[in-house]
């Protein structure tokens, strides 16, 4: 039988406007500027007062065509013959223009390779997003789960992490070899699998990295020889093969000129006496407004015309413009609140710039302080930079784990990483320290950490094991 039942259920739903607002939080300064330009082109009711004086500058530019000039006067502006003649014989004060070989962006090359190898538009879109997330060294340092979540919000539909992994494996088949690896171990294995798999040393090297990487970290050579059933000489050959591989897929080239990598900061942090002031690099909400002429036309159209489609179109554009301005205002207000809370938690660090004064904080600390969700803090701090008196700073670097030292004081893991890097930099290159020796040295400095923790931080710093470092000496 068919029955009717009345039930009361509680569900959590997120509105499309909230999803768009979360996407706004994720944008940095340059991406927001592009988003504003896109909205200005699509919505006539949105007005931007930022560029109102730019036409005047262009008008009085000497290189531009003046209103009083005819086309023939501008095009056929004769140059005296003596200037052309003497330019052929006399030296010019200007430096001669030489052709510069630009270094190709590896991300652009990867996207072109993927498009040639695959024709699925959804996979191409996802692959381009994955490629853009690679670091400058070509490694994928972001977690697959976080990448899936960010891409889902951008696309407004859920993408499973397994699907990200599937496309990532296809990207890893591209050149340069080792691209898209999630760590040094995976980068080395990908390079080995591109070699002749019939070679015994290649087979042994792959087995060593995939199954006995921990033993290699711990320098348990006897255990490796027993498990792989090889002698001392064969192990040496395998290690020498591993030493010839690249630790990073993309290495800096000496020839050519890199593209301009200037970073536009999102925050300005300045010190004024004993106080630290925080402000946005660009406050865009102040210049955005509703176009008065179009708004008046909307009001008149609503009262006079009978065309319902025209009335509805103008109303939708007006609501869209109002929401857009409100979203930019809310983004900037939230950014300032979060940044001021971070500065308050890391006040000693921002005062001096000394990494040893960096306190261990997590996203939850800032979220509770501001009164927002952790995901909001994550999006505000993702890919955002602050210009400080001691240089440009990535906000994500301020969030670190805490480890207790011998005095019971909790310190940031960045401090320990800096200490490890300093010890390895000053070590004997022909007889480098093992991870266990690094534990002893750090203990003398007052840092009580386990060997596996030292190995973890060394990997994050992309420093190879001691045996490989000795082969590179």
């Amino acid at each position: 039988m068919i029955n009717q039942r009345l039930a009361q259920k509680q569900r959590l739903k997120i509105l499309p406007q909230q999803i768009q607002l979360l996407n706004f939080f994720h944008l940095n300064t340059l991406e927001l500027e592009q988003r504003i330009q896109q909205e200005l082109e699509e919505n006539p009711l949105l007005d931007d007062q930022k560029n109102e004086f730019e036409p005047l500058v262009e008008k009085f530019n000497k290189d531009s065509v003046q209103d009083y000039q005819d086309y023939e006067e501008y095009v056929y502006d004769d140059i005296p013959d003596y200037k052309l003649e003497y330019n052929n014989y006399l030296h010019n004060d200007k430096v001669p223009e030489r052709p510069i070989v630009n270094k190709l962006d590896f991300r652009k090359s990867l996207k072109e390779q993927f498009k040639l190898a695959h024709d699925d538009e959804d996979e191409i879109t996802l692959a381009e997003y994955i490629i853009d997330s690679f670091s400058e060294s070509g490694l994928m340092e972001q977690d697959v789960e976080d990448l899936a979540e960010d891409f889902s919000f951008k696309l407004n539909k859920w993408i499973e992490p397994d699907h990200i992994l599937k496309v990532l494996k296809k990207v890893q088949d591209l050149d340069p070899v080792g691209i898209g690896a999630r760590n040094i171990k995976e980068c080395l294995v990908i390079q080995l699998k591109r070699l002749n798999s019939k070679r015994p040393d290649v087979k042994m090297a792959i087995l060593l990295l995939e199954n006995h990487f921990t033993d290699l970290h711990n320098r348990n050579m006897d255990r490796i020889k027993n498990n792989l059933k090889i002698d001392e000489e064969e192990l040496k050959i395998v290690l020498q093969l591993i030493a010839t591989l690249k630790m990073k897929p993309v290495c800096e080239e000496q020839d050519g000129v890199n593209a301009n990598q200037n970073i536009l900061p999102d925050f300005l942090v300045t010190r004024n006496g004993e106080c630290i002031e925080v402000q946005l690099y660009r406050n865009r909400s102040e210049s955005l407004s509703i176009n008065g002429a179009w708004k008046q036309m909307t009001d008149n159209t609503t009262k006079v015309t009978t065309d319902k489609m025209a009335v509805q179109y103008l109303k939708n554009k007006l609501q869209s413009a109002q929401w857009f301005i409100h979203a930019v205002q809310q983004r900037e207000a939230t950014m300032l609140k979060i940044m001021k809370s971070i500065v308050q938690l890391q006040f000693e660090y921002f005062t001096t710039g000394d990494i040893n004064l960096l306190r261990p904080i997590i996203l939850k600390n800032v979220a509770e302080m501001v009164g927002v969700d952790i995901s909001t803090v994550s999006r505000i701090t993702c890919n955002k930079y602050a210009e400080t008196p001691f240089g440009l700073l990535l906000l994500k670097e301020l969030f670190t784990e805490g480890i207790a030292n011998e005095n019971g004081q909790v310190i940031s893991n960045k401090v320990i990483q800096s200490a490890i890097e300093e010890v390895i930099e000053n070590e004997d290159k022909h007889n480098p320290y093992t991870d266990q020796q690094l534990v002893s040295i750090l203990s003398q400095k007052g840092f009580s950490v386990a060997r596996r923790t030292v190995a973890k931080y060394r990997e994050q710093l992309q420093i190879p094991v001691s045996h490989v470092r000795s082969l590179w000496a």
Side-chain angles (χ1 to χ4, degrees):
M1 294 181 63
I2 299 176
N3 296 325
Q4 285 186 342
R5 292 182 181 179
L6 185 63
Q8 187 175 7
K9 294 182 180 180
Q10 217 174 19
R11 291 182 180 178
L12 183 62
K13 289 188 177 182
I14 184 167
L15 298 174
Q17 291 84 355
Q18 292 174 314
I19 294 176
Q20 292 181 21
L21 185 60
L22 289 174
N23 289 331
F24 261 72
F25 289 160
H26 195 275
L27 301 177
N28 56 28
T29 300
L30 189 58
E31 292 170 341
L32 176 67
E33 195 67 34
Q34 294 172 350
R35 180 70 178 84
I36 290 175
Q37 293 301 322
Q38 179 185 350
E39 190 69 20
L40 287 170
E41 293 174 1
E42 296 176 355
N43 195 339
L45 275 84
L46 186 65
D47 201 7
D48 185 11
Q49 304 296 329
K50 179 175 69 73
N51 300 323
E52 61 178 339
F53 297 109
E54 284 189 5
L56 295 177
V57 178
E58 191 176 64
K59 179 180 178 181
F60 294 102
N61 189 357
K62 292 182 180 180
D63 296 331
S64 61
V65 183
Q66 305 300 328
D67 294 334
Y68 56 81
Q69 282 186 321
D70 293 331
Y71 177 78
E72 290 79 10
E73 182 182 359
Y74 180 75
V75 174
Y76 300 107
D77 187 12
D78 293 335
I79 301 173
D81 292 338
Y82 73 89
K83 286 189 176 182
L84 296 175
E85 181 180 354
Y86 282 100
N87 277 342
N88 294 329
Y89 300 101
L90 301 180
H91 294 288
N92 199 334
D93 292 335
K94 295 182 179 180
V95 179
E97 295 182 359
R98 298 176 59 190
I100 298 176
V101 181
N102 288 327
K103 179 183 174 183
L104 293 176
D105 184 14
F106 73 92
R107 295 183 181 87
K108 183 178 179 181
S109 175
L110 287 171
K111 292 175 183 178
E112 291 175 354
Q113 291 179 56
F114 196 89
K115 286 180 179 178
L116 290 173
H118 304 86
D119 55 2
D120 190 335
E121 291 297 330
D122 293 336
E123 284 195 352
I124 291 174
T125 304
L126 182 54
E128 289 181 347
Y129 190 82
I130 292 172
I131 291 169
D132 287 333
S133 70
F134 291 167
S135 65
E136 292 303 318
S137 59
L139 296 173
M140 197 184 86
E141 299 175 351
Q142 191 175 1
D143 292 337
V144 176
E145 290 77 11
D146 295 339
L147 196 68
E149 182 182 352
D150 293 340
F151 187 75
S152 299
F153 270 103
K154 180 181 178 181
L155 211 63
N156 292 335
K157 69 175 183 180
W158 182 249
I159 302 295
E160 293 292 339
D162 292 340
H163 191 46
I164 297 280
L165 273 176
K166 178 184 175 183
V167 178
L168 177 62
K169 293 296 182 183
K170 295 181 179 180
V171 173
Q172 289 176 350
D173 293 334
L174 306 177
D175 291 324
V177 60
I179 197 73
R182 286 162 289 178
N183 49 51
I184 296 176
K185 171 187 171 182
E186 189 175 16
C187 179
L188 296 174
V189 171
I190 292 173
Q191 294 176 68
L192 288 170
K193 288 182 177 179
R194 291 282 189 96
L195 300 176
N196 187 359
S197 58
K198 295 181 179 179
R199 285 171 47 183
D201 56 342
V202 174
K203 288 183 180 180
M204 285 295 174
I206 294 174
L207 285 174
L208 173 59
L209 291 174
E210 288 185 339
N211 302 325
H212 308 287
F213 194 70
T214 306
D215 293 330
L216 186 61
H217 273 240
N218 301 339
R219 205 180 173 87
N220 293 331
M221 299 304 168
D222 293 335
R223 185 172 175 180
I224 292 174
K225 287 186 288 185
N226 293 332
N227 290 331
L228 296 179
K229 297 180 180 179
I230 57 177
D231 56 22
E232 187 75 29
E233 189 63 29
E234 289 174 330
L235 178 59
K236 185 178 180 181
I237 294 173
V238 172
L239 293 176
Q240 286 176 345
L241 172 62
I242 295 175
T244 61
L245 303 175
K246 294 188 299 181
M247 305 297 291
K248 300 177 183 178
V250 179
C251 300
E252 296 181 0
E253 297 180 4
Q254 298 298 326
D255 57 336
V257 177
N258 291 334
N260 190 0
Q261 296 293 335
N262 291 338
I263 297 173
L264 200 63
D266 302 272
F267 301 95
L268 290 176
V269 181
T270 55
R271 185 176 178 184
N272 187 6
E274 296 298 324
C275 300
I276 296 178
E277 298 179 352
V278 178
Q279 58 183 344
L280 294 173
Y281 186 79
R282 285 182 180 176
N283 200 334
R284 293 296 280 114
S285 61
E286 294 180 353
S287 60
L288 296 176
S289 60
I290 304 295
N291 190 295
W294 275 92
K295 189 176 186 304
Q296 186 177 2
M297 184 187 299
T298 304
D299 296 337
N300 294 337
T301 305
T302 305
K303 295 176 182 178
V304 177
T305 187
T306 58
D307 190 349
K308 294 183 179 180
M309 292 183 65
V311 173
Q312 189 62 39
Y313 171 80
L314 291 172
K315 283 185 177 181
N316 290 341
K317 289 298 180 182
L318 178 60
Q319 292 176 358
S320 177
Q322 291 172 340
W323 178 88
F324 189 86
I325 295 173
H326 174 71
V328 176
Q329 291 172 346
Q330 190 170 349
R331 171 187 179 272
E332 292 176 348
T334 308
M335 286 175 66
L336 278 175
K337 287 180 183 178
I338 290 175
M339 189 61 202
K340 287 179 180 178
S341 301
I342 294 174
V343 170
Q344 186 176 346
L345 291 170
Q346 300 285 8
F347 184 80
E348 295 180 354
Y349 172 70
F350 279 101
T351 303
T352 61
D354 186 3
I355 194 171
N356 293 317
L357 298 178
L358 194 65
R359 290 180 54 190
I361 62 171
I362 57 176
L363 297 175
K364 185 179 179 182
N365 300 138
V366 179
E368 292 177 349
M369 196 170 180
V370 180
V372 295
D373 192 76
I374 296 177
S375 62
T376 302
V377 180
S378 176
R379 283 174 174 78
I380 290 292
T381 55
C382 179
N383 200 23
K384 303 287 196 307
Y385 289 84
E387 187 175 322
T388 66
F390 46 87
L392 209 59
L393 182 67
L394 182 63
L395 296 188
K396 280 293 186 182
E397 294 180 354
L398 298 173
F399 295 90
T400 59
E401 300 174 355
I403 296 177
N405 60 8
E406 293 180 349
N407 299 326
Q409 183 182 2
V410 180
I411 58 175
S412 171
N413 59 1
K414 290 286 184 182
V415 178
I416 300 176
Q417 289 181 13
S418 178
I420 292 173
E421 200 169 15
E422 182 182 354
V423 171
I424 292 178
E425 186 177 351
N426 299 323
E427 70 182 357
D428 182 6
K429 304 304 179 184
H430 296 281
N431 188 23
Y433 296 122
T434 63
D435 290 345
Q436 192 59 47
Q437 290 173 328
L438 289 174
V439 170
S440 303
I441 295 172
L442 291 174
S443 179
Q444 295 174 4
K445 293 178 176 289
F447 304 127
S448 179
V449 291
R451 183 203 50 76
R452 62 180 180 274
T453 306
V454 172
K456 173 186 173 184
Y457 291 162
R458 181 176 49 71
E459 280 185 6
Q460 291 176 355
L461 294 169
Q462 297 183 356
I463 299 174
V465 294
S466 58
H467 193 76
V468 176
R469 298 203 304 273
S470 65
L471 291 174
W472 289 355

